[in-house]
Amino acid sequence: AIALDPQLADGYVNLGRLLHQKGDAISAAAYYRRALECDPEDPVAHYNLALAFEDQKRWEAALEEYQHAIRFAPDFA
């Protein structure tokens, strides 16, 4: 999908999620950040990036990303 549309944020989120599920939070975070370059207000990318930061014990960065997710989607579960 991203080969056809390099600005497809969902594609990067999905790739990040696959890596994250395999235990590679650092690589996953890179894909989540790439998704945010495409869509800076994507709450799913912010939320997933927060989870990746938590896995890396980067607490302040995780909290910041959770706050972004809430700001862009206050009803986001």
Side-chain angles (χ1 to χ4, degrees):
I2 59 175
L4 295 174
D5 183 359
Q7 295 303 310
L8 183 64
D10 287 343
Y12 295 106
V13 170
N14 290 338
L15 286 171
R17 189 69 193 129
L18 290 172
L19 289 167
H20 206 170
Q21 288 176 329
K22 287 185 162 209
D24 189 351
I26 292 172
S27 295
Y31 279 103
Y32 300 145
R33 284 199 284 293
R34 179 64 181 102
L36 290 168
E37 289 174 10
C38 299
D39 182 0
E41 296 183 6
D42 184 335
V44 175
H46 283 291
Y47 176 79
N48 287 353
L49 183 55
L51 291 174
F53 285 152
E54 275 193 44
D55 289 347
Q56 297 172 59
K57 300 187 183 345
R58 296 179 56 191
W59 312 120
E60 289 180 30
L63 180 59
E64 185 176 324
E65 292 304 322
Y66 284 130
Q67 290 170 338
H68 288 309
I70 291 168
R71 181 171 21 129
F72 296 125
D75 59 343
F76 186 71

